[in-house]
Amino acid sequence: RDFVYLIENLQAGGLRPFCLMPSGRWPVVRAAFEHAGAPVLDVEVHRGDDTSRQHKMSAVLLPDGSGSVEGVSGALQDGYIDEQPLARVLVDLGYMAGDGNPLVPAIARFFRANEIGRVTVWPERSALSEFSSALRANAGRAWRRNPGQFALVSPRVTALTTTASLNRYGSPT
């Protein structure tokens, strides 16, 4: 009910929220979101064997503010991403209050406000990589400050770390 209330308040503010849910799960919750007018996008879950710890799906924020759920093709890029310079840009432009705040909602607002294009908001590592690439590709660009009109709500659950849940959903982070 808390999230239905949030959906209704976001809609009252002129936003168009949507929900991501595992296919065929939680029909009562799904019906509540649909009744509130929020589109529910299905996330297909697949059983796996040696790849069960890799992400199988990604959530993408599209330039118009809508979203999609897409299958992940291939492995995510490995390597260290230094979050400090990314956070500094977001703080300086008003997309984050300070270090320690979540980066992905700020990155989503940044992409939308600066009309950069689509951005993956989950897995989070993809958002960091795409933001870093956008900054490098547009070095010297004058970025827009946070207009304060965009929000990304990303509810969290306790990490699923049992063998069965990892096989079903892939990596929990």
Side-chain angles (χ1 to χ4, degrees), residues 120-138:
T120 303
V121 294
W122 190 88
E124 292 181 358
R125 179 168 182 66
S126 296
L128 299 174
S129 178
E130 292 171 20
F131 181 49
S132 179
S133 294
L135 292 176
R136 282 193 312 275
N138 295 284

Side-chain angles (χ1 to χ4, degrees), residues 20-26 30 40-45 168-169:
L20 304 174
M21 295 186 71
S23 295
R25 302 284 310 269
W26 309 315
R30 174 182 299 274
V40 177
L41 303 177
D42 288 320
V43 176
E44 293 294 328
V45 292
R168 184 167 188 177
Y169 298 103

Side-chain angles (χ1 to χ4, degrees), residues 105-116:
I107 290 170
R109 290 189 296 272
F110 178 89
F111 266 68
R112 183 81 194 277
N114 285 283
E115 301 174 347
I116 296 171

Side-chain angles (χ1 to χ4, degrees), residues 50-70:
D50 58 328
T51 62
S52 63
R53 293 182 180 266
Q54 295 180 7
H55 294 285
K56 297 177 175 94
M57 306 300 289
S58 63
V60 178
L61 179 66
L62 301 173
D64 66 357
S66 65
S68 70
V69 178
E70 302 172 0

Side-chain angles (χ1 to χ4, degrees), residues 61-84:
L61 179 66
L62 301 173
D64 66 357
S66 65
S68 70
V69 178
E70 302 172 0
V72 174
S73 58
L76 296 177
Q77 181 181 7
D78 287 330
Y80 174 74
I81 297 175
D82 186 359
E83 295 180 10
Q84 290 303 101

